[in-house]
Structure formats: structure tokens, C-alpha cells
Amino acid sequence: MYSKDGENYFIVDAHVALWDARPENQLNIHGKQFIDCFYDYHRNLSPESELWPYEDYLYYGGERLMKDLFVEGYVDHAIFQPARLGAFYRNGFGQTEESFALAQRHPDKLTYNHSWDPRYEQKGLDQLRRDAERFQLKGAKLYTAEWKGDSRGYKLDDPWTYRYLEACQELGINNIHIHKGPTIRPLDRDAFDVADVDKAATQFPEMNFVVEHCGLPRLEDFCWIATQEPNVHAGLAVAMPFIHSRPRYFAQIIGELLYWLDEDRIQFSSDYALWTPRWLIERFVDFRIPEDMTEYAPITTAQKKKILGLNAASMYGIEVPAGLGVDEPAVA
């Protein structure tokens, strides 16, 4: 929980990871390219005081994750959103067993979402059913730009993807998080295009589609889709650190999202360990839309509370302690 000026904020970090990008886990040059690109995002968008040494960034482990999120970071609950990247890393990038074991030890603090890839067709679909039972899945993270053999991505409206989404709906995995954001070397820019979200959201209206990184740099395209499809949500991973490096750009992002989607379909995330949550939460609570950006309404304390945790808590059935909900809106 974070407290400031008499207000208490229940925090759900809706997109975190526990990865291993050490050289011994890198399958090829692309594994190094990927983590180096991650580190460039971290280095270029973080305050100097928050920079990690490169070696720490390659692998930080569960103990540090717990400290950074729950001891120092104000987080009440966090949701793992793993990326496998099996074409780049021997044992995968996101660490399934380590993350799940951590979530089992701390079920009050951590939810484990898993990943799947429709290009594994029936074999992968059978595995999804086993994973759903083992992990008790409520959500999944899709990386549509991931490489597999000669394929350098897939779309949400591919026939096999629809079969997997049908299975998810049957299994109660109703929260589908999709990486649709900035390109990460060496992945292809076009594979992150948001157009296929529109089709999937229409086809599966009972499911939630959380577009991680809110489609950046395709924010306008995303907003037009999300205003039409009420089951499309915005994840603020990668958008959040612009609050430091490009505050007016961040004001534009959050202003557009609040205009098109309203505060009920926007979710905070630090994208840990790209960034740590503490400084992002502090700055977001203090954030105000610049007075000269008159096309956007002031952001209220109630809106901040929903974005920082209440929206994701509602989606995942996470209990919010009494007194930490939203009462009457008030200008921050």
C-alpha cells in the first residue's frame, strides 16, 4: 500500500517477470540482443538513482523480486506475465518453475499467468489444458512477435489462435494479456501491430484483452479499437517510465487513454525488472496533467486509485481491504 496526503492506494503491479538472460542461458546472439535492448530501455528511461548494473539485470532472482516489489515498492499484489522466447534462450526467458514456485509460497501476493503459442497446434493445445489445471490459470500472456522456426510471429485472428482462445474460455482463462508495444531487437515491428486485437475482441466478447504497453507507438490505433470494444483494456507497462523522461508525452498517453477508455480499463505495471515500482508509484500519485494541455481533463485521485490497483484487482478477484476502494472523485 502507498499513502500520501491522507490517501491510501491499493497497488497491483499487473505485469512483472522473473527472467534469466545470463550468457549460459542465451541460445544465440539474439538472446544477447534481446536483453541488451531491454537494458537500453531501462537505462534510457530511468532516473539515474534507479539504474541497475548490467550484470544484476541479467538475473536477479526471486528474493530480490520480493524485496523490490513488496518491501520497498509499495506493491500489494503482482501478476507474472512471462515470455518464453524459446528461440533465443535455452531454458526460456521467463522462468516458469521459479516464478510458479514463488507464487505458490506467496499466494496472497503473487498470481502466476502462463504463456502459450498457437503454432504448436494440437500438441500445444493439449499442453495448455494440462497447464491450466496445474497452474490454476486465470490469465495468459501472448507474445505475438515470438519466433518459432521460420515463423517470426502470429496473429490473434489466426485459426489456431482462435482454437486456443476457445479453449481458454472453456478453461476459465478469461484474461488475455498481449504484448503490443515497442519493438524489441531482434523481433519484427509489424508483429506487434494492434489490428488483430479488434478481431479477437469482437469474436470473444466475454474475455478480457489487456493490451500491454497500450499499443505504443500505435496509441491512436489502440484507442480507436478500445473505444469500440468494451473488453479491451490498456496495460501501462513501458508507458509508465515516460513520466520521468518525457512527462508531457506521458500526459498525452494517459490523457488519451482516460478520454477514450475511462479509468476503469487502465492497469498500472512497473514491467519489473525493466523498472522498479517504487519511484513509478510515487511519481504517478504526484502527477498532474500540465495546465496548458487543456484538451485533457485533470486526473483525479479516484482515477489514480483505480489505475494503480483496483482495476486489476477486480479483474483477477483480488481482495481489496476495507477502506482502500474509491469513494467520491477528487482532483489530485
Side-chain angles (χ1 to χ4, degrees):
M1 185 181 74
Y2 180 61
S3 300
K4 180 73 179 288
D5 297 332
E7 297 287 350
N8 297 320
Y9 300 81
F10 184 80
I11 309 295
V12 178
D13 197 334
H15 190 296
V16 304
L18 182 54
W19 66 61
D20 184 356
R22 290 174 291 189
E24 55 266 34
N25 194 35
Q26 293 174 15
L27 188 60
N28 47 44
I29 185 61
H30 300 312
K32 185 174 187 332
Q33 290 173 333
F34 187 88
I35 193 61
D36 285 355
C37 185
F38 259 33
Y39 191 68
D40 285 343
Y41 277 115
H42 167 74
R43 183 179 56 190
N44 292 324
L45 299 181
S46 301
E48 186 174 354
S49 62
E50 305 298 329
L51 293 178
W52 288 18
Y54 179 75
E55 292 302 320
D56 291 357
Y57 202 74
L58 295 178
Y59 175 76
Y60 41 91
E63 185 176 343
R64 179 165 186 173
L65 179 146
M66 296 300 294
K67 176 177 70 73
D68 287 344
L69 268 60
F70 302 106
V71 178
E72 299 181 356
Y74 311 118
V75 174
D76 295 287
H77 200 97
I79 303 172
F80 280 116
Q81 307 288 0
R84 175 156 177 77
L85 299 173
F88 303 159
Y89 296 97
R90 288 184 174 85
N91 298 312
F93 181 65
Q95 298 302 288
T96 296
E97 297 303 328
E98 191 173 4
S99 300
F100 180 57
L102 204 59
Q104 283 187 304
R105 291 199 298 273
H106 305 280
D108 58 326
K109 295 183 179 299
L110 289 164
T111 293
Y112 179 74
N113 282 357
H114 200 48
S115 60
W116 49 259
D117 186 329
R119 291 169 296 183
Y120 285 94
E121 298 184 347
Q122 187 61 47
K123 179 180 178 181
L125 197 56
D126 294 340
Q127 184 64 50
L128 172 60
R129 295 183 183 280
R130 292 191 292 269
D131 290 339
E133 181 176 0
R134 180 191 175 199
F135 300 130
Q136 293 297 294
L137 296 176
K138 296 181 179 179
K141 169 69 184 295
L142 308 185
Y143 226 77
T144 58
E146 184 161 351
W147 293 5
K148 182 183 182 300
D150 294 332
S151 170
R152 292 175 62 147
Y154 65 90
K155 293 186 179 299
L156 294 180
D157 58 335
D158 289 342
W160 270 103
T161 309
Y162 273 11
R163 290 184 65 175
Y164 276 64
L165 290 172
E166 288 167 355
C168 282
Q169 196 166 36
E170 172 194 332
L171 295 165
I173 308 171
N174 290 318
N175 305 316
I176 306 299
H177 298 251
I178 318 116
H179 180 112
K180 294 288 189 180
T183 299
I184 304 168
R185 190 184 187 203
L187 302 173
D188 296 343
R189 176 183 179 275
D190 290 349
F192 290 130
D193 189 274
V194 296
D196 55 341
V197 175
D198 186 14
K199 299 176 183 178
T202 300
Q203 187 72 17
F204 298 93
E206 302 303 317
M207 303 181 78
N208 296 311
F209 292 88
V210 184
V211 176
E212 299 296 349
H213 324 297
C214 54
L216 294 175
R218 309 166 190 84
L219 180 65
E220 185 174 6
D221 287 349
F222 167 73
C223 286
W224 279 99
I225 291 169
T227 197
Q228 172 182 296
E229 304 291 347
N231 57 335
V232 171
H233 304 251
L236 289 178
V238 174
M240 284 302 307
F242 285 111
I243 204 168
H244 162 69
S245 59
R246 295 281 304 280
R248 290 181 67 85
Y249 180 50
F250 179 78
Q252 178 189 359
I253 294 169
I254 198 69
E256 292 292 330
L257 292 175
L258 287 170
Y259 176 82
W260 292 100
L261 278 73
D262 71 50
E263 69 273 17
D264 295 321
R265 287 192 284 144
I266 307 171
Q267 297 181 5
F268 164 77
S269 87
S270 65
D271 214 353
Y272 185 85
L274 271 91
W275 300 277
T276 47
R278 182 184 182 94
W279 68 273
L280 293 170
I281 293 165
E282 291 174 345
R283 296 200 181 197
F284 185 65
V285 168
D286 290 344
F287 179 77
R288 290 174 172 79
I289 300 287
E291 291 183 0
D292 64 325
M293 298 180 74
T294 56
E295 65 269 39
Y296 304 124
I299 184 170
T300 68
T301 297
Q303 289 173 327
K304 291 175 181 178
K305 288 183 176 183
K306 289 184 177 182
I307 292 168
L308 282 170
L310 299 180
N311 290 340
S314 176
M315 180 177 288
Y316 277 86
I318 298 166
E319 184 178 356
V320 178
L324 293 183
V326 170
D327 295 320
E328 294 298 322
V331 175

